[in-house]
Amino acid sequence: MVNKTAVNIMDIEFINETKVDFLTEHVYPRLANNEKCFIVTANPEIVMKTRESKAYKNMVKQADYVVPDGVGIVMASKFQKQPIKERIPGYDLMLDLLATADKKSYSCYFLGAKEHVNKKVVEQIKQQYPNIIIAGYHHGYISTDDKSIVERIVSSNPDLIFVALGSPSQEEWITKHINNFTKGLFMGVGGSFDVIAGEVKRAPDAWINLNLEWLYRLLRQPFRWKRILKVIEFMARVYFKKE
Ligand code: UDP
């Protein structure tokens, strides 16, 4: 972690910058200099996972930047009287990175999601961002120890590697293999490939603006209700300072 203004929530250091400042002051210069960079976009569920697993916490702590994804993180920062300036959804960050990759003709690798989703993502990217160089792509139903995939990705020499395996697998994959690379921005993007491929609908802007994206997701995917319990536990722990 390289950010002095970070806000510590349950022993995880979150950046406290607007998305634009984060990108222009940190991410884009690193990309331009071929400096390696590992970004975790963390929501309350991820923070709770770091509390429950020391191994996972060590992975998240290896990130150069932990970005506040999820209204719960921003609320928690307010409870702590260290308000975070802005929620930065991982999906939005990914779209901005894709737009920059298109502008600068960077090469991108897409690892994760089901095979047909992964292929659809690449088709969408080719259409929407024609100047991006597709270094390669692979579905995410793999072992995080699969060396042949790692070798393939390393030899494709990508500037950006989007890893959509869900948490904790995506952070596990990145921390296991990042040392094999000489450059690259590595980011776990959770279910973003499903959204880009049109398999899952993102909440309409009105819901997002009302900070109700989580409720929209819950209504569309009710099997995720257990995840909400974790968010409630997270909020209670921060509020009552029982970390
Ligand atoms: N996924 C994958 N490999 C796996 C398990 C999941 O590629 O072994 C993909 C899944 O298809 C989905 C993504 O990981 O595209 C994220 O899943 P989920 O929405 O459950 O994760 P979250 O957004 O909560 O991190």
Side-chain angles (χ1 to χ4, degrees), residues 136-149:
Y137 52 95
H138 199 286
H139 67 79
Y141 290 80
I142 54 164
S143 154
T144 56
D145 288 320
D146 190 326
K147 293 239 162 33
S148 68
I149 292 171

Side-chain angles (χ1 to χ4, degrees), residues 45 112-114 139-142 164-167 169-170 190-191 193-194 217 224 227:
E45 257 183 280
K114 296 194 181 115
H139 67 79
Y141 290 80
I142 54 164
L165 304 178
S167 300
S169 302
Q170 54 197 27
F193 286 9
D194 300 274
R217 259 197 221 166
R224 286 175 176 253
R227 295 181 174 212

Side-chain angles (χ1 to χ4, degrees), residues 43-233:
N43 55 21
E45 257 183 280
I46 288 186
V47 176
M48 286 302 286
K49 272 186 199 154
T50 65
R51 202 182 156 271
E52 286 153 11
S53 158
K54 221 173 171 178
Y56 183 57
K57 185 171 184 175
N58 283 335
M59 292 174 207
V60 173
K61 286 214 170 252
Q62 286 174 53
D64 297 293
Y65 305 101
V66 182
V67 170
D69 186 355
V71 63
I73 300 294
V74 175
M75 276 170 73
S77 73
K78 287 183 185 155
F79 291 164
Q80 293 186 175
K81 309 239 177 314
Q82 295 170 294
I84 282 178
K85 287 180 188 150
E86 191 173 284
R87 173 190 171 213
I88 306 180
Y91 181 72
D92 293 353
L93 204 53
M94 180 174 176
L95 293 191
D96 282 15
L97 288 169
L98 288 171
T100 298
D102 189 43
K103 210 161 94 191
K104 304 261 181 191
S105 295
Y106 287 142
S107 70
C108 299
Y109 196 99
F110 300 89
L111 174 65
K114 296 194 181 115
E115 189 158 19
H116 75 279
V117 174
N118 182 277
K119 286 206 170 110
K120 253 191 184 172
V121 166
V122 173
E123 288 314 311
Q124 282 287 339
I125 302 282
K126 280 183 186 162
Q127 279 181 24
Q128 285 181 35
Y129 307 95
N131 299 318
I132 287 183
I133 298 162
I134 307 283
Y137 52 95
H138 199 286
H139 67 79
Y141 290 80
I142 54 164
S143 154
T144 56
D145 288 320
D146 190 326
K147 293 239 162 33
S148 68
I149 292 171
V150 178
E151 279 163 19
R152 250 194 274 169
I153 304 177
V154 169
S155 63
S156 72
N157 204 27
D159 297 301
L160 298 102
I161 300 99
F162 296 107
V163 187
L165 304 178
S167 300
S169 302
Q170 54 197 27
E171 286 76 30
E172 191 179 306
W173 190 91
I174 293 170
T175 50
K176 266 185 188 164
H177 306 301
I178 192 167
N179 287 339
N180 293 305
F181 291 78
T182 53
K183 67 167 186 183
L185 180 150
F186 296 78
M187 180 172 152
V189 294
S192 297
F193 286 9
D194 300 274
V195 180
I196 292 175
E199 297 278 307
V200 172
K201 258 188 80 158
R202 202 180 178 206
D205 285 348
W207 290 64
I208 296 177
N209 294 338
L210 289 168
N211 287 328
L212 289 176
E213 190 170 7
W214 61 273
L215 180 62
Y216 183 86
R217 259 197 221 166
L218 181 65
L219 293 173
R220 290 189 73 98
Q221 299 176 305
F223 58 88
R224 286 175 176 253
W225 66 271
K226 266 195 190 156
R227 295 181 174 212
I228 296 293
L229 296 183
K230 280 282 160 213
V231 179
I232 294 168
E233 185 186 344

